[in-house]
Each structure stands twice: as C-alpha cells, then as structure tokens.
Amino acid sequence: MSTAMLPSYVVLDLETTGGNATQDRITEIAAVRIDNGVETARWSTLVNPGVRIPPFIQSLTGITDAMVEDAPTFAQVSKQLLELLEGAVFVAHNVRFDHGFVANELARLDISLKVKTLCTVRLSRRLYPQHKGHGLDAILQRHGLQTQARHRAMGDVDVVLAWLDVAARELGAEALQREALGLLQGSAALPPQLETPVSDIPDTPGVYLFYGEGSIPLYVGKSVTLRTRVMSHFQASTKVAREMRILQEIRRIEWRETAGELGALLLESRLVKELQPIHNRLLRREKQLTSWKLHDDPAARPLLQLVRLDEVNAADMGQLYGAYRSKRQAMDALRTLCETHQLCPNALGLESGKGACFASQIGRCKGVCAGREVPALHRVRLQMALAEHRLQAWPHPGRMGIREHNPHTGRTDIHVFDQWCHVATVHDDDALQDAISARQPLAFDLDTYRLLLKRLTGTGLRSREVLHLGAPHAHSA
C-alpha cells in the first residue's frame, strides 16, 4: 500500500550519460504507478543510449557500456512509458531533470509530452522547511531510510516512495495531499533549488536578475510583465540548452520595477554593462567604439579617418558615420561599401600604392586614382553611400526628458538624456533639477543611442511625454 498523495501518479527516475537533456541520453528508466493509493504497475529497463557512457557516470551508476549494448533503445520502450504515464502526474525528485530528458527523447520521435509534473524536492521543502538539505541523500539521512541501489533508477524510485510514506505518517495524509496539489497549480515547473518565491515577483515592467551561489548574476533580463517572463524561462528550459544551464545554477531572483518598457530597456542595458552577467552576450560593454569621419578635402588620402567615439565632442556627432565595436568591423563595413558603390579602395585607405588601383583595372572603381573621375565627384558619391550610416546630431538645444507613467502601479519615471546619453532616471522634482544641472561627463553608449533614436523618430512618443529641460551640454568622455 502506498500513499494516495494524488489520484494517479507515476514516480519515475532516470540514469543518463550526463546532465544536459538536449545533448545527453537516457541509460535506464524506472517507474512505479500509484492509483488511489495502490501500486498498479512497476517497470524498469536499461536503455541503449546510442553513445558512449563517460567513465565518471559508469562509476557513479554502475551502468557500463557492456550492460546497455543489447538493451532496447528509447524509441523501442517509448510506447510502454507513455502508456504508464497516461492520465497520471509525472513525479520525480528534481522533476525538471527527468521530465526534460523524457521530453527531448520523445521530441526526437516527433512526439510531444503532455503531462502534469510534481517535483518531490520542492514538496520536501514545503513539508520540511526547517531542514536545509532536500536531495535524496539528505532525505535518506534525515529519516533514517536505507537503500542498496542508490544511483540506480528503481533504487531511487523506492527511496522517493518510502519517503512519501514517512511524510504521510509524520505529517498526515491530508497535509501531504494539500501540499502536492498546491505544487501542481503552477510551481512544479520551478527549479527545485530556487529559494525565491516566484509569487512575490510583480507582473509589472522592470528588470530581473538571476543569481547562483556567487555575487555575479547569471543573467539579467527585462520585461513589461516580470513574473510572466521569469516563468517563461522555466518553461523553455527543457528545450533550450542555455535556459537549462541557467536553471541548473539558479538559486535566487532579484527584480527592479520600472514605470514602463523604456525604463526597463535602459536599466537592463546599464546593469548588463556594469555587472557582466555570465549568460548575457548582447548589451555587453563596448570596449572601444569607433566611427568614420569624412575629410573635407576631396584630394585628401585617405578620405576617411577612423575615430574613437569616446574622444569625439558630442556636438560633432552629426559629422560621423557608423558606430563599430571594433576596427575590424569598421574595415569590413567600409570594404563592403566600397565594392557596392564602385569607390576607390586606395582613396578610402583600404589599400596602399600609387596610380590606378587594381579595382580600377578590372572595372570595379570609376578611376579617381587614375584621373578618370574628378575627386570632388568621388567624394560626393562616397558621402551618398555613407548617408544611411550617418549618426544623428542631437536634435535638442539642451537636455530633454521622457516621462513614463504606469496607471496600474501609479509609478512615474522621467528619463533624462543629453547628446544621446542617458543622464539619469528620476522620480521627483528635486532629483529632476539635480539631473538637469549635473555636470558629469557623458559616456556615449551605442545601445542607448539606437534605443532613443527609435523612440524619437517613431510614432509612439506623444508630445506630452517629452520634457525640454535646457541646461548646457556636458562633453562626452
């Protein structure tokens, strides 16, 4: 007789070749089905993973390549597994792991796994909050349970079943059922080691930060609905390798609310650059942004000079073309422009030498280098080719602000900008006056420039949201 924790559930455990459900494979499956408190099925099988089992995994589980050589493949046992799970809740200790592997194996067979899940690690946290450890080894020690088959699938299933019986006796069957049903209503998808109650996260605009054991965030993200976005990470973790790595490491979540999307985008960009999260690849700090400056003299060689944006006066932004994260990126972009518009690579500084360039000899340059094209005309053609890459001059006589108000939370943010740089985000008149008069150096940020340019040239910004603040400009640094 087993505990009637739920009307129908299957306690399942897997052994695998590793910890990545999208890459590693299953080597053993064990499952016990409970219907109305009665064990109705017990099944286990070795599985041929189709790949070598790493030596460490062999020593941990005792399952060797020789043992699985003649075992059935997952495809051959999938029908029996699905029949066992039919109409039941998928229960496992750290269900995210086992569910992820089963879901990925079935996906390779073009089968979608549609089943509710329950994590007994999270159930242990709810039933025994006074204890710190909730892994199987901690549960064995805590309740004086024993097993001769730890790290074998059926051995671990029996440990979970024995623990459920102990919990029902110690705390009462009703308490066990109540907590299990509570987990089924949404939290079963959460990582078992997560310490932050997701229900505490507001479903408002803002930025969220995932942390592991250390002080550096694993990941920083933004959303106009924080809690919904955080939950989407957990739901995607069985299919996306990066999401799975984050979910295996995550311990706590922090969040910072904003009035709207613009504030969330600005805060996300700043925090990623300041904190350098491990799993953020975009929005990283630009080490040395560069841009092209066109020479006034058509006969100058080269016609373009690569300048660092942190050394340019903000007032000269409108005379620059492109913003590049490296010299190589800038040179590649110019080379493409040169070839597309039949410009002279010698005049642009892409090649060295005197006289006619090689492109001119094969008809890919109109010959300014060989006297066949007037230098002034060549410069005009270059300027036209560069036009779409031209950086925009700051369109305001001084600082400006964008007001964001959230009618649901009552929060108002004013984002202050000068020369395309984000000066501050403030919430009251005193802070606004400080931001207007602040004389700190302005650091050009490409992501902020693109974000603000899109806002100012788009149709979504209403005139009453824009504040013309005046005050003299500070210089870029």
Side-chain angles (χ1 to χ4, degrees):
M1 188 77 175
S2 297
T3 177
M5 176 178 66
L6 298 166
S8 295
Y9 62 97
V10 173
V11 179
L12 185 143
D13 187 78
L14 306 174
E15 301 303 330
T16 65
T17 61
N20 189 322
T22 62
Q23 298 175 9
D24 297 311
R25 307 301 288 266
I26 295 171
T27 59
E28 188 177 34
I29 307 172
V32 172
R33 178 164 178 142
I34 309 295
D35 292 294
N36 300 314
V38 178
E39 181 179 314
T40 56
R42 175 175 287 259
W43 172 67
S44 67
T45 180
L46 289 170
V47 178
N48 187 331
V51 296
R52 304 282 293 181
I53 303 174
F56 168 74
I57 300 295
Q58 292 191 44
S59 64
L60 178 68
T61 64
I63 300 174
T64 65
D65 289 326
M67 291 170 62
V68 298
E69 184 177 357
D70 296 324
T73 64
F74 182 85
Q76 292 171 322
V77 302
S78 59
K79 181 179 179 181
Q80 190 170 357
L81 176 59
L82 288 170
E83 289 174 350
L84 195 65
L85 289 169
E86 179 68 29
V89 176
F90 185 131
V91 177
H93 211 65
N94 190 358
V95 74
R96 174 61 53 185
F97 177 91
D98 301 271
H99 179 272
F101 269 90
V102 173
N104 275 280
E105 290 281 14
L106 288 171
R108 295 182 184 106
L109 303 174
D110 293 324
I111 299 173
S112 176
L113 178 61
K114 297 179 180 179
V115 63
K116 292 182 178 179
T117 61
L118 176 77
C119 180
T120 48
V121 174
R122 297 196 66 81
L123 183 60
S124 176
R125 287 183 184 276
R126 295 180 71 149
L127 293 172
Y128 296 93
Q130 70 273 27
H131 294 289
K132 184 176 181 180
H134 298 275
L136 278 187
D137 290 328
I139 284 176
L140 284 165
Q141 184 176 5
R142 185 170 82 206
H143 297 286
L145 300 173
Q146 295 183 344
T147 179
Q148 301 299 315
R150 182 73 176 96
H151 294 301
R152 288 299 299 270
M154 188 57 79
D156 289 349
V157 166
D158 283 333
V159 170
V160 173
L161 290 169
W163 171 70
L164 291 174
D165 287 339
V166 168
R169 290 197 305 270
E170 290 183 350
L171 306 175
E174 288 186 3
L176 179 61
Q177 292 166 3
R178 182 177 62 253
E179 296 300 338
L181 287 171
L183 284 175
L184 274 182
Q185 295 170 0
S187 64
L190 301 177
Q193 75 280 5
L194 182 64
E195 300 168 2
T196 304
V198 174
S199 58
D200 289 352
I201 303 174
D203 221 17
T204 56
V207 169
Y208 56 93
L209 301 91
F210 290 166
Y211 284 90
E213 298 285 1
S215 58
I216 299 176
L218 299 171
Y219 183 79
V220 173
K222 59 85 187 168
S223 178
V224 293
T225 51
L226 282 171
R227 188 190 321 120
T228 300
R229 181 69 185 98
V230 167
M231 287 300 298
S232 72
H233 279 278
F234 305 147
Q235 293 158 1
S237 64
T238 60
K239 298 180 180 179
V240 183
R242 186 189 69 165
E243 300 284 8
M244 177 164 290
R245 290 195 296 272
I246 293 175
L247 270 292
Q248 288 172 343
E249 300 174 49
I250 191 172
R251 292 294 182 276
R252 59 188 176 89
I253 304 171
E254 294 182 2
W255 59 91
R256 304 183 189 182
E257 293 184 67
T258 62
E261 183 183 27
L262 178 59
L265 287 164
L266 290 167
L267 182 57
E268 177 196 33
S269 178
R270 179 172 66 80
L271 290 177
V272 168
K273 292 175 175 67
E274 287 180 0
L275 302 177
Q276 296 286 288
I278 297 167
H279 292 286
N280 283 88
R281 289 182 174 84
L282 300 176
L283 299 177
R284 290 292 184 92
R285 184 186 300 276
E286 299 95 353
K287 294 181 180 179
Q288 187 175 313
L289 282 175
T290 58
S291 186
W292 290 113
K293 184 175 183 180
L294 180 60
H295 205 289
D296 292 333
D297 182 2
R301 297 293 180 268
L303 269 171
L304 290 169
Q305 177 188 1
L306 195 61
V307 297
R308 287 175 50 171
L309 278 173
D310 60 358
E311 296 177 347
V312 174
N313 191 307
D316 297 330
M317 283 279 293
Q319 302 174 28
L320 303 179
Y321 300 88
Y324 307 98
R325 300 182 192 276
S326 67
K327 180 179 179 180
R328 179 177 179 179
Q329 186 184 57
M331 297 298 287
D332 288 345
L334 183 59
R335 191 170 286 107
T336 299
L337 207 68
C338 180
E339 294 172 354
T340 303
H341 296 274
Q342 292 184 287
L343 297 166
C344 178
N346 279 9
L348 271 54
L350 292 169
E351 296 178 7
S352 59
K354 295 182 179 180
C357 68
F358 179 70
S360 170
Q361 297 173 39
I362 60 174
R364 295 182 181 176
C365 161
K366 292 194 175 181
V368 69
C369 51
R372 296 197 305 272
E373 183 179 30
V374 177
L377 178 58
H378 179 263
R379 185 185 180 281
V380 169
R381 291 199 304 109
L382 171 59
Q383 193 170 21
M384 292 175 63
L386 287 167
E388 65 176 298
H389 304 284
R390 184 172 182 170
L391 299 182
Q392 298 297 309
W394 182 239
H396 298 276
R399 297 190 172 180
M400 60 85 70
I402 296 178
R403 181 192 286 112
E404 271 193 308
H405 177 70
N406 190 317
H408 302 293
T409 64
R411 180 187 177 106
T412 297
D413 291 342
I414 299 176
H415 312 292
V416 180
F417 300 93
D418 192 3
Q419 298 295 329
W420 302 109
C421 300
H422 180 212
V423 177
T425 292
V426 299
H427 315 287
D428 57 55
D429 289 341
D430 290 341
L432 179 59
Q433 291 305 315
D434 290 342
I436 293 172
S437 59
R439 299 281 183 164
Q440 80 271 28
L442 300 178
F444 180 82
D445 177 81
L446 181 57
D447 298 304
T448 302
Y449 168 77
R450 288 172 173 168
L451 174 64
L452 188 54
L453 182 65
K454 183 178 180 181
R455 288 283 171 141
L456 294 181
T457 57
T459 58
L461 201 61
R462 291 169 290 190
S463 59
R464 63 185 174 85
E465 297 172 336
V466 178
L467 305 175
H468 300 284
L469 304 175
H473 300 306
H475 293 291
S476 293

